[in-house]
Amino acid sequence: HFLELSYGSAMEVAALLFLAADAGRIDFATRDTLLGLVSEVTAQLTALNRSLSVARSKTPFPRKASA
């Protein structure tokens, strides 16, 4: 559950970065740098989420099959 919340929060940060750049609050280079960091975090969350053996997930990452 907490990983799903974390993933959603990361996506919200990404959306806000686009809005901030469009509004002129940050420059596009800064936005791209920060989006790269968001991408790294979501990749780590995805890897952790896939490593867990939980039957269901609301997030878009598939689970490992339980052995």
Side-chain angles (χ1 to χ4, degrees):
H1 176 72
F2 294 111
L3 291 177
E4 294 166 354
L5 291 174
S6 299
Y7 183 84
S9 295
M11 293 297 99
E12 185 175 358
V13 167
L16 291 172
L17 288 171
F18 280 102
L19 290 173
D22 290 345
R25 298 291 185 178
I26 61 173
D27 59 49
F28 291 104
T30 300
R31 181 205 62 193
D32 292 342
T33 299
L34 294 174
L35 283 174
L37 295 173
V38 170
S39 180
E40 288 179 28
V41 169
T42 57
Q44 292 170 354
L45 286 170
T46 300
L48 178 58
N49 204 20
R50 285 182 179 162
S51 73
L52 301 175
S53 52
V54 177
R56 291 183 55 155
S57 174
K58 295 178 188 173
T59 54
F61 359 92
R63 296 286 186 168
K64 274 184 162 179
S66 297

